[in-house]
Amino acid sequence: MEVFLQATALVDYTHPSIRQLITEKEWNELSEYEKIRQIYDYVRNQIQFGYNRGDDIPASEVLADGYGQCNTKSILLMALLRGVRIPCRIHGFYIDKKMQKGALTGILYTFAPANIVHAWTEVWFEGKWVALEGVIIDDPYLKQVQDRLCSYNGGYIGYGVAVKNKAGINLCWRGESTYIQSFSITEDLGYFDQPDEFFAKYNNVKAPVKKWLLNLLRKRINRQTDAIRKGSMK
């Protein structure tokens, strides 16, 4: 399991801000179950759903931003879990960009690839790998968008959510996998020991033009997602 506990450039759990958070929360003093539950809940709700400058940024930067999407929240989740000696890995996919409509709008939605690179963290718990995709969406945001989801292909999508049953969404971790975007998966890209390996191969904003465009517009997009979260977005 040591390979699933390594610090990397992205999973930088030796960074002072990561170490300080782990110490302040006293996560090292908890049982394995409580370590996972509390870290998962922290990343899900204290790190709000939003868009960073790229997919492949260090966990410490995601923590400093205070927001993230599927890929960046997964990196931070991995860093915190590994920082308390919980083995974890990354599982990569392509997902249909229709799922992002509402969260992404205008030119950024237009320029987004039809299939978006997506990842979730898998944690080793009680002898099996458990998916923690539910970490992406915070409760206040979910509360505002749950009734706005569009019926599509036998499920419900929109605003960064893709589920089979919108009435039955429960993102609390109770020892089993949690999902929030998996209904839009179009291709499984496999398992990776380290997110650094995955994002070196698959990346939504690797092209300079896309990276420039994201950095130009992401503050506006984050203001929009925050307005949705606060219930002030019509």
Side-chain angles (χ1 to χ4, degrees), residues 35-67:
K35 284 178 180 178
I36 299 169
R37 187 186 70 80
Q38 291 192 25
I39 289 172
Y40 169 84
D41 285 348
Y42 179 88
V43 178
R44 188 166 72 83
N45 280 313
Q46 300 306 312
I47 307 299
Q48 297 179 334
F49 174 60
Y51 295 86
N52 313 89
R53 65 178 177 87
D55 292 322
D56 53 348
I57 64 173
S60 56
E61 184 175 339
V62 184
L63 181 62
D65 282 350
Y67 55 83

Short mmCIF file of all heavy atoms in Angstrom, two decimals, residues 35-67:
data_model
loop_
_atom_site.label_atom_id
_atom_site.label_comp_id
_atom_site.label_asym_id
_atom_site.label_seq_id
_atom_site.Cartn_x
_atom_site.Cartn_y
_atom_site.Cartn_z
N LYS A 35 -11.55 9.27 10.18
CA LYS A 35 -10.60 10.03 9.35
C LYS A 35 -11.19 10.29 7.97
O LYS A 35 -11.21 11.41 7.47
CB LYS A 35 -9.28 9.28 9.21
CG LYS A 35 -8.37 9.31 10.42
CD LYS A 35 -7.11 8.47 10.14
CE LYS A 35 -6.16 8.47 11.32
NZ LYS A 35 -4.96 7.62 11.07
N ILE A 36 -11.66 9.21 7.34
CA ILE A 36 -12.21 9.33 5.98
C ILE A 36 -13.46 10.20 5.99
O ILE A 36 -13.60 11.10 5.15
CB ILE A 36 -12.52 7.94 5.40
CG1 ILE A 36 -11.25 7.10 5.31
CG2 ILE A 36 -13.17 8.07 4.01
CD1 ILE A 36 -11.49 5.63 5.00
N ARG A 37 -14.36 9.96 6.92
CA ARG A 37 -15.63 10.70 6.95
C ARG A 37 -15.40 12.19 7.15
O ARG A 37 -15.97 13.02 6.43
CB ARG A 37 -16.54 10.15 8.05
CG ARG A 37 -17.94 10.77 8.03
CD ARG A 37 -18.78 10.33 9.21
NE ARG A 37 -18.30 10.91 10.46
CZ ARG A 37 -18.59 12.16 10.86
NH1 ARG A 37 -19.34 12.96 10.09
NH2 ARG A 37 -18.14 12.61 12.02
N GLN A 38 -14.57 12.53 8.13
CA GLN A 38 -14.39 13.95 8.43
C GLN A 38 -13.60 14.68 7.34
O GLN A 38 -13.92 15.83 7.02
CB GLN A 38 -13.72 14.11 9.79
CG GLN A 38 -14.62 13.72 10.95
CD GLN A 38 -14.08 14.15 12.29
OE1 GLN A 38 -13.31 15.11 12.39
NE2 GLN A 38 -14.49 13.47 13.35
N ILE A 39 -12.60 14.04 6.77
CA ILE A 39 -11.84 14.67 5.69
C ILE A 39 -12.72 14.82 4.45
O ILE A 39 -12.72 15.87 3.79
CB ILE A 39 -10.57 13.86 5.38
CG1 ILE A 39 -9.57 14.04 6.53
CG2 ILE A 39 -9.94 14.30 4.05
CD1 ILE A 39 -8.36 13.15 6.45
N TYR A 40 -13.48 13.79 4.13
CA TYR A 40 -14.42 13.85 3.00
C TYR A 40 -15.41 15.00 3.20
O TYR A 40 -15.64 15.81 2.30
CB TYR A 40 -15.14 12.52 2.88
CG TYR A 40 -16.31 12.49 1.93
CD1 TYR A 40 -16.13 12.29 0.56
CD2 TYR A 40 -17.61 12.64 2.41
CE1 TYR A 40 -17.21 12.25 -0.31
CE2 TYR A 40 -18.70 12.59 1.54
CZ TYR A 40 -18.49 12.41 0.19
OH TYR A 40 -19.57 12.37 -0.67
N ASP A 41 -16.00 15.09 4.40
CA ASP A 41 -16.97 16.15 4.67
C ASP A 41 -16.32 17.53 4.58
O ASP A 41 -16.94 18.49 4.10
CB ASP A 41 -17.60 15.96 6.05
CG ASP A 41 -18.61 14.83 6.09
OD1 ASP A 41 -19.01 14.35 5.00
OD2 ASP A 41 -19.01 14.43 7.20
N TYR A 42 -15.08 17.64 5.05
CA TYR A 42 -14.39 18.93 5.00
C TYR A 42 -14.20 19.37 3.55
O TYR A 42 -14.52 20.51 3.19
CB TYR A 42 -13.04 18.84 5.70
CG TYR A 42 -12.27 20.14 5.65
CD1 TYR A 42 -12.45 21.11 6.63
CD2 TYR A 42 -11.40 20.41 4.59
CE1 TYR A 42 -11.76 22.32 6.55
CE2 TYR A 42 -10.72 21.62 4.52
CZ TYR A 42 -10.91 22.57 5.50
OH TYR A 42 -10.25 23.77 5.41
N VAL A 43 -13.66 18.49 2.72
CA VAL A 43 -13.39 18.86 1.33
C VAL A 43 -14.69 19.11 0.57
O VAL A 43 -14.77 20.00 -0.27
CB VAL A 43 -12.53 17.79 0.62
CG1 VAL A 43 -12.28 18.16 -0.84
CG2 VAL A 43 -11.19 17.62 1.33
N ARG A 44 -15.72 18.37 0.89
CA ARG A 44 -17.00 18.53 0.18
C ARG A 44 -17.65 19.87 0.50
O ARG A 44 -18.14 20.56 -0.41
CB ARG A 44 -17.95 17.38 0.53
CG ARG A 44 -19.21 17.39 -0.34
CD ARG A 44 -19.95 16.08 -0.22
NE ARG A 44 -20.61 15.91 1.05
CZ ARG A 44 -21.82 16.41 1.35
NH1 ARG A 44 -22.47 17.13 0.45
NH2 ARG A 44 -22.36 16.20 2.54
N ASN A 45 -17.67 20.24 1.77
CA ASN A 45 -18.44 21.42 2.15
C ASN A 45 -17.62 22.67 2.47
O ASN A 45 -18.11 23.78 2.27
CB ASN A 45 -19.35 21.09 3.35
CG ASN A 45 -20.60 20.36 2.91
OD1 ASN A 45 -21.25 20.76 1.96
ND2 ASN A 45 -20.93 19.28 3.60
N GLN A 46 -16.39 22.51 2.93
CA GLN A 46 -15.57 23.69 3.22
C GLN A 46 -14.82 24.17 1.98
O GLN A 46 -14.43 25.34 1.91
CB GLN A 46 -14.58 23.38 4.35
CG GLN A 46 -15.24 22.99 5.66
CD GLN A 46 -16.27 24.00 6.13
OE1 GLN A 46 -16.00 25.21 6.16
NE2 GLN A 46 -17.45 23.53 6.49
N ILE A 47 -14.61 23.28 1.04
CA ILE A 47 -14.04 23.65 -0.27
C ILE A 47 -15.19 23.67 -1.26
O ILE A 47 -15.67 22.63 -1.68
CB ILE A 47 -12.93 22.65 -0.71
CG1 ILE A 47 -11.88 22.49 0.39
CG2 ILE A 47 -12.30 23.12 -2.02
CD1 ILE A 47 -11.14 23.76 0.78
N GLN A 48 -15.67 24.85 -1.58
CA GLN A 48 -16.88 24.97 -2.38
C GLN A 48 -16.65 24.57 -3.84
O GLN A 48 -15.54 24.67 -4.35
CB GLN A 48 -17.41 26.41 -2.33
CG GLN A 48 -17.83 26.84 -0.92
CD GLN A 48 -18.33 28.27 -0.88
OE1 GLN A 48 -17.97 29.11 -1.71
NE2 GLN A 48 -19.17 28.57 0.09
N PHE A 49 -17.73 24.12 -4.47
CA PHE A 49 -17.67 23.78 -5.89
C PHE A 49 -17.39 25.05 -6.69
O PHE A 49 -18.09 26.05 -6.58
CB PHE A 49 -18.99 23.16 -6.34
CG PHE A 49 -19.09 22.92 -7.82
CD1 PHE A 49 -18.19 22.08 -8.46
CD2 PHE A 49 -20.08 23.53 -8.58
CE1 PHE A 49 -18.27 21.85 -9.82
CE2 PHE A 49 -20.17 23.30 -9.94
CZ PHE A 49 -19.26 22.46 -10.57
N GLY A 50 -16.30 25.01 -7.49
CA GLY A 50 -15.91 26.15 -8.30
C GLY A 50 -14.76 25.75 -9.20
O GLY A 50 -14.34 24.59 -9.21
N TYR A 51 -14.21 26.71 -9.94
CA TYR A 51 -13.22 26.39 -10.98
C TYR A 51 -11.89 27.07 -10.69
O TYR A 51 -11.81 28.29 -10.54
CB TYR A 51 -13.76 26.80 -12.35
CG TYR A 51 -14.96 25.97 -12.73
CD1 TYR A 51 -16.25 26.36 -12.33
CD2 TYR A 51 -14.82 24.78 -13.43
CE1 TYR A 51 -17.35 25.57 -12.65
CE2 TYR A 51 -15.92 24.00 -13.75
CZ TYR A 51 -17.18 24.40 -13.35
OH TYR A 51 -18.27 23.62 -13.63
N ASN A 52 -10.83 26.25 -10.63
CA ASN A 52 -9.46 26.73 -10.40
C ASN A 52 -8.78 27.06 -11.73
O ASN A 52 -9.39 26.92 -12.79
CB ASN A 52 -8.67 25.67 -9.64
CG ASN A 52 -9.42 25.10 -8.45
OD1 ASN A 52 -10.15 24.13 -8.61
ND2 ASN A 52 -9.27 25.69 -7.29
N ARG A 53 -7.52 27.41 -11.66
CA ARG A 53 -6.81 27.82 -12.88
C ARG A 53 -6.46 26.64 -13.79
O ARG A 53 -6.07 26.83 -14.93
CB ARG A 53 -5.54 28.57 -12.52
CG ARG A 53 -4.50 27.75 -11.79
CD ARG A 53 -3.23 28.55 -11.50
NE ARG A 53 -2.27 27.77 -10.73
CZ ARG A 53 -1.37 26.97 -11.27
NH1 ARG A 53 -1.31 26.82 -12.58
NH2 ARG A 53 -0.52 26.28 -10.51
N GLY A 54 -6.59 25.43 -13.28
CA GLY A 54 -6.31 24.25 -14.08
C GLY A 54 -6.67 22.99 -13.32
O GLY A 54 -7.09 23.05 -12.17
N ASP A 55 -6.50 21.84 -13.99
CA ASP A 55 -6.77 20.55 -13.35
C ASP A 55 -5.60 20.08 -12.50
O ASP A 55 -5.79 19.42 -11.49
CB ASP A 55 -7.03 19.48 -14.42
CG ASP A 55 -8.32 19.71 -15.18
OD1 ASP A 55 -9.30 20.13 -14.55
OD2 ASP A 55 -8.35 19.46 -16.40
N ASP A 56 -4.39 20.39 -12.93
CA ASP A 56 -3.18 19.83 -12.32
C ASP A 56 -2.48 20.85 -11.44
O ASP A 56 -1.37 21.29 -11.70
CB ASP A 56 -2.23 19.32 -13.41
CG ASP A 56 -1.92 20.37 -14.47
OD1 ASP A 56 -2.61 21.42 -14.51
OD2 ASP A 56 -1.00 20.15 -15.27
N ILE A 57 -3.15 21.24 -10.36
CA ILE A 57 -2.56 22.16 -9.40
C ILE A 57 -2.38 21.45 -8.07
O ILE A 57 -3.12 20.51 -7.75
CB ILE A 57 -3.40 23.44 -9.23
CG1 ILE A 57 -4.77 23.13 -8.64
CG2 ILE A 57 -3.55 24.17 -10.57
CD1 ILE A 57 -5.58 24.38 -8.30
N PRO A 58 -1.39 21.84 -7.27
CA PRO A 58 -1.13 21.14 -6.00
C PRO A 58 -2.29 21.26 -5.02
O PRO A 58 -3.05 22.24 -5.04
CB PRO A 58 0.12 21.86 -5.47
CG PRO A 58 0.72 22.57 -6.62
CD PRO A 58 -0.42 22.91 -7.53
N ALA A 59 -2.39 20.30 -4.15
CA ALA A 59 -3.44 20.30 -3.13
C ALA A 59 -3.39 21.56 -2.28
O ALA A 59 -4.44 22.12 -1.92
CB ALA A 59 -3.29 19.06 -2.25
N SER A 60 -2.19 22.02 -1.97
CA SER A 60 -2.06 23.22 -1.14
C SER A 60 -2.67 24.44 -1.82
O SER A 60 -3.22 25.33 -1.15
CB SER A 60 -0.59 23.48 -0.81
OG SER A 60 0.19 23.58 -2.00
N GLU A 61 -2.60 24.50 -3.15
CA GLU A 61 -3.21 25.62 -3.88
C GLU A 61 -4.73 25.51 -3.86
O GLU A 61 -5.43 26.52 -3.73
CB GLU A 61 -2.70 25.66 -5.32
CG GLU A 61 -3.22 26.85 -6.09
CD GLU A 61 -2.64 26.98 -7.50
OE1 GLU A 61 -1.56 26.41 -7.75
OE2 GLU A 61 -3.27 27.66 -8.33
N VAL A 62 -5.25 24.30 -3.99
CA VAL A 62 -6.70 24.10 -3.91
C VAL A 62 -7.20 24.54 -2.54
O VAL A 62 -8.23 25.22 -2.42
CB VAL A 62 -7.08 22.62 -4.16
CG1 VAL A 62 -8.61 22.47 -4.18
CG2 VAL A 62 -6.48 22.11 -5.46
N LEU A 63 -6.48 24.15 -1.49
CA LEU A 63 -6.85 24.55 -0.13
C LEU A 63 -6.84 26.07 0.01
O LEU A 63 -7.76 26.65 0.61
CB LEU A 63 -5.88 23.91 0.87
CG LEU A 63 -6.13 24.21 2.34
CD1 LEU A 63 -7.49 23.69 2.79
CD2 LEU A 63 -5.02 23.60 3.20
N ALA A 64 -5.83 26.73 -0.54
CA ALA A 64 -5.74 28.19 -0.47
C ALA A 64 -6.86 28.86 -1.26
O ALA A 64 -7.41 29.88 -0.83
CB ALA A 64 -4.38 28.65 -0.98
N ASP A 65 -7.23 28.27 -2.41
CA ASP A 65 -8.34 28.82 -3.21
C ASP A 65 -9.65 28.75 -2.44
O ASP A 65 -10.49 29.65 -2.55
CB ASP A 65 -8.48 28.05 -4.52
CG ASP A 65 -7.44 28.42 -5.57
OD1 ASP A 65 -6.72 29.42 -5.36
OD2 ASP A 65 -7.35 27.71 -6.59
N GLY A 66 -9.88 27.64 -1.74
CA GLY A 66 -11.13 27.45 -1.02
C GLY A 66 -12.27 26.97 -1.89
O GLY A 66 -13.42 26.93 -1.44
N TYR A 67 -11.96 26.59 -3.11
CA TYR A 67 -12.96 26.03 -4.02
C TYR A 67 -12.27 25.08 -4.98
O TYR A 67 -11.04 25.08 -5.13
CB TYR A 67 -13.71 27.13 -4.78
CG TYR A 67 -12.81 28.08 -5.54
CD1 TYR A 67 -12.33 27.77 -6.80
CD2 TYR A 67 -12.42 29.30 -4.99
CE1 TYR A 67 -11.49 28.62 -7.49
CE2 TYR A 67 -11.57 30.17 -5.66
CZ TYR A 67 -11.12 29.82 -6.92
OH TYR A 67 -10.28 30.67 -7.60
#
